[in-house]
Amino acid sequence: DTAVSQTPKYLVTQMGNDKSIKCEQNLGHDTMYWYKQDSKKFLKIMFSYNNKELIINETVPNRFSPKSPDKAHLNLHINSLELGDSAVYFCATSPGRRTGELFFGEGSRLTVL
Amino acid sequence: KNEVEQSPQNLTAQEGEFITINCSYSVGISALHWLQQHPGGGIVSLFMLSSGKKKHGRLIATINIQEKHSSLHITASHPRDSAVYICAVSSQGAQKLVFGQGTRLTINP
């Protein structure tokens, strides 16, 4: 039973489309994150939620909108996709509000054509 | 310059060799993480430490807070250790991680 699961694992779409990536965790952790890994494998935080409350919102275009319907889910919706959005998106969780040990999902590779 | 710098960026070694990967950072931190990313893409947390040394199997992580430096050592390296190793720090007072650029390790049989 996967602790942090993301869907879909692969997503290929056209520029201008709207898409969503879903993340679910069964660890009971309070904090969930979205990270973006670019083509050079560099990881950067996008968003962090603690108990459904947004606590970190890095300089991310407002085309990206996270949604946390409950503590176990953090979804990422992207509007008007651009070529530069192509990347691997990782969901992660940690037990508490201050960054503890991280548990990552397997990543969702988004390719925008 | 990135707040977290790793060296080397790429490392190739023979099976059995002792491996050291270095991480230097420029900010005050509350904790430092070592992560492993295999070619398949998944990321696994290896260590989280704020002082001293931790050991897990053949992996050892050390941190020197005064020098703002951490090392990850692998003893008796094996081809299955081939992966990208990523250092990340959580700044004091911040609730996010800042990542190094990663070190790509290849262990040849």
Side-chain angles (χ1 to χ4, degrees), chain A residues 25-89:
Chain A
Q25 58 113 348
N26 63 8
L27 297 168
H29 286 173
D30 287 340
T31 308
M32 296 184 73
Y33 308 85
W34 277 110
Y35 292 96
K36 180 180 180 181
Q37 187 174 45
D38 61 25
S39 57
K40 294 182 180 177
K41 301 288 190 183
F42 196 71
L43 276 161
K44 199 164 183 185
I45 187 152
M46 300 174 71
F47 301 104
S48 172
Y49 270 73
N50 180 267
N51 277 320
K52 296 169 50 180
E53 176 192 352
L54 179 66
I55 55 173
I56 294 175
N57 183 351
E58 287 297 287
T59 310
V60 176
N62 56 15
R63 298 182 294 104
F64 290 78
S65 52
K67 285 187 173 49
S68 182
D70 55 58
K71 207 173 93 164
H73 295 84
L74 181 61
N75 304 323
L76 184 65
H77 189 77
I78 316 169
N79 289 329
S80 303
L81 278 157
E82 299 178 356
L83 293 176
D85 298 332
S86 296
V88 181
Y89 293 85

Side-chain angles (χ1 to χ4, degrees), chain B residues 88-105:
Chain B
V89 301
S90 46
S91 305
Q92 285 172 342
Q95 297 174 43
K96 64 175 186 179
L97 288 182
V98 178
F99 294 85
Q101 75 275 37
T103 295
R104 184 175 297 277
L105 174 66

Side-chain angles (χ1 to χ4, degrees), chain B residues 4-5 13 18 20 29 33-34 42 45 47 50 57 59-60 62 68 71 74 76 78 83 89 95 107:
Chain B
V4 181
E5 293 284 343
F18 181 81
T20 296
I29 67 167
H33 300 249
W34 281 103
S45 174
F47 296 102
S50 53
L59 272 59
I60 303 165
T62 63
K68 293 191 166 79
S71 293
I74 305 175
H78 190 275
V89 301
Q95 297 174 43
I107 303 295

